[in-house]
Amino acid sequence: MTSTAILFLIAGLGLITWVFARARAGRFIQQGAASVHSLPSYHGWYAAMWAVVPAILFMLVWSTVAPALGSYAVLESPLAAQLPTDAFERAAILSEARSLSRNPDVKVFNDAARELAPLYADADRNYAMIGALAAFLLCFAGAAYAFTRIRPDFRARTQVERTVMLALLLASLIAILATLGIVASLIFETVRFFNLVSPFEFLFGLQWNPSDKVVDGQATGFGAVPLFWGTVFIGAIIAMLVAIPLGLMSAIYLTQYASANVRKWMKPILEILAGVPTVVYGYFAALTVAPALRSFAVAIGITDASSESALAAGLVMGVMIIPFVSSMADDSIAAVPGSMRDGSLAMGATKSETIKQVLIPAALPGVVGGVLLAVSRAIGETMIVVMAAGLAANLTANPFASVTTVTTQIVQLLTGDTDFNSPMTLAAFALGLTLFIVTLLLNIVALQIVKKYREAYD
Amino acid sequence: MPANPQTPATGRTKTDWMGEAMQKRIARRYAAERRFKWMGLGAVALSSLFLAFLLVVMVGNGAKGFISTEATLTVDLPAATGSISPEQLTQPRLAATMASIDVRRIFDNAVQAQYGEDGARFFASTAWTALRDQLTENPNLVMSKTKVWLPTSSDIDRAAKDNSTPEAEADYATLRKAGEVRQTFNWRFLTGSDGTDPAQVGIWGALKGSLITMVVTLFLAFPVGVLAAVYLEEYASKNWLTDLIEVSINNLAAVPSIIFGLLGLAVFLQFFSMPRSAAIVGGLTLALMTMPVIVIAARNAIKAVPPSIREAAMGVGASPVQVVFHHVLPLAIPGIMTGTIIGMARALGETAPLLMIGMRAFTTTPPDGLTDPATVLPVQIFLWSDEVNRGFVEKTSAAIIVLLVFLLTMNAIAVYLRNRFETRW
């Protein structure tokens, strides 16, 4: 029996328990019990909870324990006595035997695995059977226990609500768990990477030429400065040169000049730009923008223009960021008190003078915060640079040359088989940690600025 | 200041507004005003033009991906199969009959007979499977010598659409003169899976992978997100744990998506040794990414429910849990749904984290379960965009059209839900 079928069965048993417990509690009211504490349905929920939750928890635990028990049973068998004593080799044979027992078409390298596979199949089947039986037993036991507790004065609602609160808290804790998971996995692999490459070499080295070779416990070619420069060049310079003027001017036009009708249509259109998947932008940059820029560069006399230029990736990324900058600027301008605007207009300033000399200076902290958020988003962007920016780690300020970025290299290093002992795989995690820290700092600073600015006008 | 035209004490004279200098200055200021306005309009126009340009390029390239080129082949099935009857090609005897006849050889022989020794160059390498499919769909074909339409090779297909190698162009011209070639809607593109021949690939495999992944994401992220939002908005007391939860959620919402891929690789694949390329791992990773979006949207929706509703429910004796689950949540559901759909649309278009966990499996059959090697639509687009064969350009763009149609539909539903059900108090 598969675990899905068991889950469905338990759920079905839970439903039956709910119906019976509810009916039983309902009878108290029919019999005219003096004071019934909870509604019948709460008694139903209480019983169903007891039927389902312990059984499912048990199945979760069992699914992690059962494979180990299976291996233990196989190792106890006389056939396993001939296995090599080397722990590593033995583990390899055992894992092959297990995958063979699940899927007979799998290719195996050790013949011993072929002999052990039926044993594994038997052991796994036995333990699955034991697990299923125990789960059903727990289900019935829980239901029976809950059933005996159903009385007119039993506070079923309190119990159910306590469980609901627990579920709410657990759901919230998942966010912490995910953050911890990210930080822990990044730091763990990065520390291992820094055993092979010194942090100083990684952060300040100028040569990016990663390889698997480890000489005297040290790997070379992991100087990430060209990557950092490429990331800043594309994400923080070129993209912002496109996004800030266009985004800011769009926001100003839509909020200050455009009629309600124009605004109603243009705002969603700009928002579509933010909804287009990045892989589409990347393809567009690589297919259309990059070749056009290359021919343009050749036409104006730049001969060494690359077909994967920083400019193509940066331009397209800038367009992607426009709606983001625009909506942040929109919010900041809207937060400027109307009295300042009205005062300026009343003094005889034209609309554009009011915007340039009153609104923008007043909204500047908010705009700057928004731009920082946009930068953090741009440097973490992956697909556009992977598809359009190229892989050559050049340290150049020529926008028509090819540069590479942190995210491009992470994808590059982790494509294909990932061996968690290779410095190349570990380097991807070190780059990831750097990216994580930088985006986090940018976000914290930006949010602080925006918050301070909001307080100033509140 | 008193309204006195002569203020000799300060030596000021009244400004001559009608004088030439002032008029010039005003004209200059108004010109600046107009320029500024035009610049704003220009920025909006430029942004939307870029969007229009992108869509036009994609549709222009991709429309051809939905068209396939077919050429005729005359097959003498009664002779080639030893006159089997149509009944033999119906269930339940179909499998046995198909095993007994070699469709591939029949196809090869027919091609040689009609187009000469190297006639195989006209047809796609998998064209014989199309013949097999037509045979099972319409068993009556075996009754007589018939003409069937089969997909052409990628070279001929491209010759029909734009330009190809000179040989293929010549071949196409010959076929066309004889009226033995036609263009039809490419159903195979919507029903097939990945392959090596651009004329034969389809997106159903990737689409199905996307759908399975999205189901996993939705089932994990939606309950967790809504419950967390309820907790934070309605019950959480102000303490360090609540602060930590809030910081974590805001932080997760801002983390670059590729970091989630690294998390999936290190935790799900390496630590828990889950299967590589599987939809379940992709779904888990995207769920972690989507959950903060749902939490934030759900919190806003719950916050928008006026306190009077809660007080009224409390007043008639509802418990705190009943207040939320019977009164607040039902009123907040439209807002929560809108946020969820937008979050799911973002997850559907996400590529980078799924590349990290290896969801780039080359599979010619759609995935059947949560643990089968699978790929998703955006990753398929990325993989095709890397292909050297020019025939993949139109397929990539066509796949992008399909992806955009899905995303636009989801967003349209979100907007509709917002307009239809959102109550303003």
Side-chain angles (χ1 to χ4, degrees):
Chain A
M1 206 186 312
T2 64
S3 46
T4 330
I6 299 174
L7 276 181
F8 271 109
L9 264 176
I10 289 178
L13 286 174
L15 187 69
I16 294 170
T17 317
W18 186 86
V19 170
F20 275 93
R22 188 173 178 277
R24 192 183 148 113
R27 234 167 291 143
F28 294 137
I29 298 171
Q30 279 174 4
Q31 288 162 1
S35 63
V36 183
H37 177 269
S38 305
L39 290 172
S41 65
Y42 279 105
H43 287 278
W45 283 115
Y46 177 73
M49 233 162 54
W50 266 103
V52 173
V53 176
I56 292 202
L57 284 183
F58 171 77
M59 276 185 64
L60 275 181
V61 174
W62 189 255
S63 67
T64 56
V65 176
L69 285 175
S71 298
Y72 187 71
V74 170
L75 282 175
E76 288 290 285
S77 73
L79 258 176
Q82 309 141 16
L83 282 180
T85 44
D86 179 37
F88 189 71
E89 232 173 292
R90 188 196 289 234
I93 293 178
L94 286 180
S95 84
E96 278 195 343
R98 162 151 285 151
S99 53
L100 194 65
S101 74
R102 282 179 190 158
N103 178 4
D105 304 328
V106 169
K107 258 198 211 131
V108 290
F109 300 98
N110 291 299
D111 286 334
R114 223 173 280 282
E115 288 174 17
L116 288 177
L119 285 180
Y120 252 121
D122 278 348
D124 281 349
R125 200 166 40 241
N126 284 340
Y127 282 115
M129 196 71 102
I130 294 174
L133 276 178
F136 285 129
L137 223 62
L138 265 177
C139 182
F140 283 117
Y145 169 72
F147 234 72
T148 57
R149 296 195 67 180
I150 299 177
R151 288 208 191 83
D153 60 344
F154 176 58
R155 296 171 173 260
R157 178 171 61 75
T158 324
Q159 299 282 334
V160 171
E161 291 188 346
R162 210 168 280 164
T163 319
V164 169
M165 292 301 276
L166 189 69
L168 293 181
L169 183 63
L170 286 180
S172 313
L173 290 182
I174 288 182
I176 298 187
L177 214 64
T179 313
L180 278 184
I182 289 178
V183 174
S185 60
L186 289 180
I187 290 183
F188 181 69
E189 309 293 348
T190 307
V191 167
R192 287 179 62 201
F193 174 68
F194 284 151
N195 286 333
L196 297 170
V197 178
S198 85
F200 188 80
E201 150 87 10
F202 175 71
L203 288 176
F204 301 105
L206 298 181
Q207 289 299 320
W208 181 260
N209 186 18
S211 73
D212 265 335
K213 250 185 285 169
V214 179
V215 186
D216 301 334
Q218 290 291 308
T220 53
F222 286 100
V225 169
L227 273 52
F228 299 150
W229 164 245
T231 308
V232 169
F233 190 40
I234 292 180
I237 299 178
I238 300 178
M240 288 306 129
L241 283 179
V242 176
I244 293 174
L246 286 180
L248 199 55
M249 287 309 290
S250 305
I252 288 171
Y253 182 78
L254 289 181
T255 55
Q256 308 293 324
Y257 288 105
S259 64
N261 238 339
V262 173
R263 192 158 53 235
K264 198 177 104 195
W265 284 101
M266 290 316 287
K267 247 190 121 141
I269 288 182
L270 282 191
E271 263 150 31
I272 292 179
L273 275 176
V276 174
T278 54
V279 69
V280 176
Y281 279 117
Y283 185 61
F284 182 67
L287 182 80
T288 314
V289 180
L293 282 175
R294 194 186 128 80
S295 2
F296 170 73
V298 171
I300 62 168
I302 302 170
T303 45
D304 60 342
S306 164
S307 62
E308 295 179 318
S309 62
L311 193 56
L315 272 180
V316 174
M317 194 187 280
V319 172
M320 187 190 84
I321 302 283
I322 288 175
F324 195 75
V325 174
S326 161
S327 82
M328 294 302 287
D330 196 340
D331 290 349
S332 331
I333 292 175
V336 174
S339 55
M340 289 172 80
R341 199 180 103 131
D342 295 345
S344 167
L345 289 174
M347 295 292 286
T350 62
K351 238 179 177 175
S352 67
E353 284 162 355
T354 305
I355 293 165
K356 279 187 279 194
Q357 288 162 25
V358 177
L359 289 187
I360 302 259
L364 199 59
V367 174
V368 169
V371 167
L372 286 185
L373 285 181
V375 169
S376 116
R377 179 170 281 212
I379 63 175
E381 171 42 50
T382 311
M383 292 322 290
I384 295 178
V385 283
V386 165
M387 293 165 86
L391 293 170
N394 291 325
L395 205 54
T396 168
N398 175 4
F400 293 103
S402 167
V403 296
T404 190
T405 70
V406 171
T407 46
T408 317
Q409 289 299 323
I410 293 178
V411 171
Q412 194 60 24
L413 290 168
L414 292 180
T415 302
D417 277 336
T418 41
D419 166 15
F420 271 83
N421 292 314
S422 144
M424 287 172 74
T425 304
L426 298 177
F429 284 89
L431 289 173
L433 183 65
T434 322
L435 184 65
F436 179 73
I437 292 175
V438 171
T439 49
L440 195 63
L441 286 180
L442 276 173
N443 280 312
I444 291 173
V445 171
L447 289 179
Q448 280 301 322
I449 294 177
V450 172
K451 209 169 140 194
K452 274 251 170 70
Y453 154 75
R454 288 274 152 77
E455 280 163 3
Y457 289 125
D458 271 345
Chain B
M1 205 196 301
N4 186 354
Q6 287 132 2
T7 48
T10 53
R12 289 222 311 225
T13 49
K14 194 184 171 194
T15 311
D16 178 13
W17 290 106
M18 290 303 141
E20 200 185 334
M22 265 307 153
Q23 285 297 323
K24 241 189 191 159
R25 194 174 139 175
I26 287 172
R28 208 167 54 235
R29 285 174 61 202
Y30 281 3
E33 168 75 24
R34 276 193 301 277
R35 267 202 309 278
F36 193 73
K37 189 177 170 183
W38 281 110
M39 268 161 64
L41 185 61
V44 175
L46 206 61
S47 310
S48 28
L49 270 182
F50 186 91
L51 179 67
F53 184 46
L54 185 144
L55 291 179
V56 165
V57 168
M58 289 306 152
V59 172
N61 276 327
K64 284 182 271 174
F66 291 105
I67 306 285
S68 73
T69 311
E70 294 183 339
T72 59
L73 182 67
T74 312
V75 204
D76 190 0
L77 279 167
T81 58
S83 13
I84 54 174
S85 65
E87 286 75 42
Q88 278 176 288
L89 281 171
T90 48
Q91 298 294 358
R93 289 154 73 194
L94 176 68
T97 320
M98 282 321 260
S100 72
I101 55 176
D102 187 350
V103 182
R104 175 143 215 186
R105 223 196 49 239
I106 296 173
F107 167 78
D108 287 344
N109 290 341
V111 168
Q112 275 188 20
Q114 190 175 348
Y115 294 101
E117 272 302 307
D118 54 351
R121 71 175 188 279
F122 286 104
F123 289 98
S125 54
T126 51
W128 66 274
T129 59
L131 176 63
R132 188 189 58 195
D133 296 346
Q134 289 189 18
L135 208 54
T136 45
E137 256 167 47
N138 182 9
N140 289 327
L141 282 180
V142 292
M143 298 294 279
S144 59
K145 187 169 172 172
T146 44
K147 214 178 191 186
V148 290
W149 289 97
L150 295 176
T152 61
S153 68
S154 174
D155 280 344
I156 304 264
D157 183 43
R158 281 187 35 234
K161 286 167 186 167
D162 31 52
N163 43 11
S164 183
T165 57
E167 299 87 52
E169 293 283 357
D171 285 343
Y172 176 65
T174 334
L175 282 175
R176 207 183 149 151
K177 207 176 279 172
E180 306 209 65
V181 65
R182 70 167 183 189
Q183 294 200 310
T184 57
F185 186 77
N186 191 356
W187 284 109
R188 191 179 280 261
F189 183 70
L190 294 180
T191 56
S193 286
D194 201 4
T196 47
D197 180 358
Q200 296 297 302
V201 296
I203 53 160
W204 173 237
L207 198 57
K208 195 174 173 195
S210 270
L211 293 180
I212 297 176
T213 310
M214 285 300 109
V215 168
V216 175
T217 305
L218 186 63
F219 269 80
L220 292 172
F222 183 71
V224 172
V226 173
L227 292 183
V230 167
Y231 179 76
L232 289 175
E233 207 52 50
E234 295 286 334
Y235 301 119
S237 47
K238 190 93 188 115
N239 57 21
W240 62 271
L241 186 66
T242 311
D243 284 345
L244 197 62
I245 296 171
E246 295 222 14
V247 169
S248 303
I249 287 174
N250 290 335
N251 174 27
L252 283 180
V255 166
S257 62
I258 192 168
I259 303 284
F260 286 97
L262 291 175
L263 168 80
L265 179 63
V267 174
F268 298 140
L269 294 191
Q270 174 76 357
F271 191 72
F272 289 117
S273 32
M274 291 169 118
R276 223 177 138 74
S277 310
I280 177 127
V281 183
L284 272 168
T285 311
L286 291 182
L288 287 180
M289 230 184 76
T290 314
M291 185 198 64
V293 180
I294 296 180
V295 172
I296 291 170
R299 285 187 73 171
N300 287 335
I302 293 172
K303 217 182 281 177
V305 176
S308 56
I309 302 273
R310 295 181 185 83
E311 284 150 13
M314 291 273 206
V316 294
S319 72
V321 171
Q322 286 171 331
V323 168
V324 169
F325 283 85
H326 294 176
H327 301 281
V328 177
L329 265 190
L331 289 172
I333 277 292
I336 296 176
M337 292 307 289
T338 311
T340 306
I341 295 173
I342 289 172
M344 293 303 290
R346 231 168 80 180
L348 179 61
E350 200 53 73
T351 320
L354 299 178
L355 277 182
M356 298 288 94
I357 55 165
M359 284 196 78
R360 48 191 302 162
F362 177 82
T363 45
T364 50
T365 49
D368 273 330
L370 292 178
T371 50
D372 285 355
T375 186
V376 294
L377 203 44
V379 175
Q380 185 74 81
I381 290 169
F382 172 65
L383 293 177
W384 281 351
S385 76
D386 250 7
E387 294 278 351
V388 186
N389 191 326
R390 289 289 297 167
F392 273 107
V393 170
E394 62 180 42
K395 299 296 170 190
T396 314
S397 307
I400 285 176
I401 293 177
V402 174
L403 180 62
L404 288 180
V405 165
F406 266 86
L407 292 180
L408 286 181
T409 316
M410 287 172 82
N411 281 311
I413 292 174
V415 170
Y416 172 77
L417 277 179
R418 185 159 54 197
N419 294 343
R420 174 79 177 71
F421 292 108
E422 202 172 66
T423 330
R424 293 217 177 272
W425 275 287

